Amino acid sequence: MSPLSDLLNLDLSDTKKVIAEYIWIGGSGMDIRSKAKTLPGPVSDPSKLPKWNYDGSSTGQAAGDDSEVILYPQAIFKDPFRKGNNILVLCDAYTPAGDPIPTNNRHKAVKIFEHPNVKSEEPWFGIEQEYTLLKKDIKWPLGWPLGGYPGPQGPYYCAVGADKAFGRDIVDAHYKACLYAGLSIGGANGEVMPGQWEFQISTVVGIGAGDQLWVARYILERITEICGVIVSFDPKPVEGDWNGAAAHTNFSTKSMRKDGGLDLIKKAIEKLEVKHKQHIAAYGEGNERRLTGKHETADINSFSWGVANRGASVRVGRDTEKEGKGYFEDRRPSSNMDPYLVTSMIAETTILG
C-alpha cells in the first residue's frame, strides 16, 4: 500500500472521534454538495446531530451580503468510504430564521407525506435510477469509440462481455457501497444504450424514498470521482437513435396492495392524466428530448397507460393485472428529476386528489 493509502485507511477507533459527512443539494437542484465535521462520538439519531451552516452565495442559494444557510440533519447512513462509526448525514437547508430556502423541496414533500390521509395509506415507492458513464476529458460515453459510435442498440441491455458492458466495476462498487450504507438498493443492470446503467431504490415508504435516492446519487458521484469518470443524469445524453435516461417511479398505497386494488390503481391513473402537464413540468429538465414517443417512451404532450406497455406514460405490470392488486409505474420522470418533487406529487395527486 502507498503512504497515502495507509493514511486513508487509518483506524480512528482509539480517538473515539467520528467523521460526519454532511450532504445537501445545491442551487441547481442536481449539484450535490458535502463537507465533513468531527463529532465527539457515535451518533445514530439525526435529531442529536448539531445543525451546521455553509456559504449559500457559493451554491446559488443566497446573496453574498447575507450568505449563511443552515443545514438541518434529517437522515443518517453508514459511510462506505471511511467505514467504522463514520456516517453520511443527509440534510436540508434553511435560513437563519428557520424558514426553508426556496430550493428545499424536501420540506415541501414532508408536509404532504405527513398528511393523515397520506400516512394512513403507507405509500411505497421504488425508483429506477438510470445514468450514463462518460469519459472525463471528452464527456463521451464510456466504451464508445473516440469521436464515433458503437454498433446499434440491441446487444447491450443486461449484457456481459468487454465489447458490450462498460463500467461494471463502478456499478458493482456502487451496489455494495449502497448496501453497506444501509440503503434499500434492490438491484442494478446494464441499460439499452451502451455506457448506460440503472440501479433501483426499492420499496421505501414516503419521504425515505427521496432521502435514499439522493444518498445513492452522492455515493455514485464519489465512486466515479475516484475512478476519474463522469456520471451524467442527462435524460438524453446522446442525440439520435439511442435510448434516453429515466427515473421510472413505481408506486402503491395500502389500498392498492389489497384485494380489489386494481380498480383504485385505475382511478389513480385517471387522476394523473388530469394533472399530466403539472407533473411533466416537475419531472426533470430536458425531458422533452427523451419523451418523444420513441425508445420506450410516450410523447411528452399526451398521456397514456397500458398493461406491460413500456411505450406508455404509466405502465401496469402483468402480475398486478393478474392478481387484481399491486402497483403502477410512472415512466415519465427523467433521470435528473428531484425525487422529493416526484414522489410527493404522485402521492398528492393520487391520494389527496
Side-chain angles (χ1 to χ4, degrees):
M1 294 175 67
S2 69
L4 180 59
S5 295
D6 290 341
L7 291 171
L8 288 171
N9 291 289
L10 279 174
D11 183 1
L12 301 178
S13 57
D14 289 343
T15 70
K16 310 299 182 185
K17 305 291 186 183
V18 168
I19 301 174
E21 191 74 23
Y22 279 48
I23 302 166
W24 72 96
I25 303 161
S28 75
M30 271 305 293
D31 55 317
I32 305 173
R33 311 286 180 131
S34 76
K35 61 178 182 174
K37 186 178 188 67
T38 303
L39 303 177
V43 179
S44 58
D45 182 351
S47 68
K48 304 296 184 185
L49 287 167
K51 295 174 183 176
W52 206 5
N53 65 77
Y54 66 92
D55 172 14
S57 69
S58 295
T59 63
Q61 293 169 299
D65 59 353
D66 187 14
S67 64
E68 193 166 287
V69 179
I70 313 301
L71 292 170
Y72 286 33
Q74 299 292 356
I76 293 175
F77 302 90
K78 293 172 64 178
D79 187 339
F81 303 102
R82 297 188 176 105
K83 305 183 182 71
N85 289 322
N86 303 301
I87 54 177
L88 304 177
V89 181
L90 182 70
C91 306
D92 58 355
Y94 296 79
T95 67
D99 299 317
I101 65 172
T103 55
N104 185 348
N105 291 325
R106 186 185 192 279
H107 179 81
K108 304 166 192 172
V110 166
K111 287 185 175 182
I112 293 170
F113 287 120
E114 288 298 315
H115 191 287
N117 292 354
V118 176
K119 288 185 73 173
S120 66
E121 282 289 352
E122 296 178 12
W124 288 1
F125 294 94
I127 303 174
E128 306 167 28
Q129 176 68 72
E130 295 176 346
Y131 60 92
T132 308
L133 298 174
L134 306 177
K135 301 170 187 177
K136 182 180 177 182
D137 296 328
I138 59 173
K139 296 185 179 179
W140 197 237
L142 210 62
W144 288 37
L146 187 64
Y149 297 86
Q153 295 183 152
Y156 311 106
Y157 173 68
C158 295
V160 296
D163 59 339
K164 295 180 285 292
F166 312 114
R168 189 183 298 278
D169 285 351
I170 291 173
V171 175
D172 282 351
H174 177 254
Y175 199 154
K176 292 181 178 180
C178 286
L179 287 173
Y180 179 93
L183 300 179
S184 296
I185 183 168
N189 59 269
E191 267 302 333
V192 177
M193 189 184 87
Q196 187 184 90
W197 296 82
E198 172 187 301
F199 67 87
Q200 302 96 34
I201 295 296
S202 57
T203 316
V204 182
V205 178
I207 198 67
D211 288 346
Q212 292 207 24
L213 187 66
W214 276 115
V215 173
R217 284 173 172 175
Y218 168 82
I219 292 172
L220 182 58
E221 291 273 16
R222 286 286 306 277
I223 291 171
T224 52
E225 172 190 324
I226 292 167
C227 295
V229 172
I230 294 173
V231 56
S232 170
F233 295 103
D234 190 292
K236 187 72 173 179
V238 181
E239 296 298 325
D241 195 16
W242 305 100
N243 274 36
H248 303 143
T249 302
N250 300 275
F251 173 73
S252 71
T253 64
K254 183 191 291 185
S255 300
M256 293 175 188
R257 297 188 291 270
K258 292 179 179 179
D259 290 342
L262 182 57
D263 288 337
L264 295 175
I265 288 172
K266 291 178 180 178
K267 290 177 181 177
I269 292 172
E270 290 174 1
K271 294 177 182 179
L272 290 174
E273 181 174 11
V274 172
K275 292 195 173 182
H276 176 63
K277 289 185 178 179
Q278 294 95 316
H279 279 252
I280 286 295
Y283 273 17
E285 292 187 14
N287 214 5
E288 72 281 353
R289 294 182 285 117
R290 180 182 73 91
L291 294 178
T292 61
K294 301 177 180 178
H295 305 111
E296 299 180 277
T297 71
D299 185 272
I300 194 169
N301 296 309
S302 60
F303 182 92
S304 61
W305 77 276
V307 175
N309 184 359
R310 284 179 162 78
S313 307
V314 173
R315 179 181 69 89
V316 173
R318 289 287 183 200
D319 286 346
T320 296
E321 180 190 43
K322 181 179 179 181
E323 295 176 10
K325 60 183 177 181
Y327 70 96
F328 66 81
E329 175 194 40
D330 191 337
R331 297 181 57 80
R332 297 170 297 172
S334 69
S335 50
N336 61 2
M337 62 84 155
D338 185 334
Y340 294 136
L341 284 177
V342 170
T343 57
S344 62
M345 282 191 76
I346 292 174
E348 183 177 35
T349 297
T350 60
I351 300 173
L352 301 179

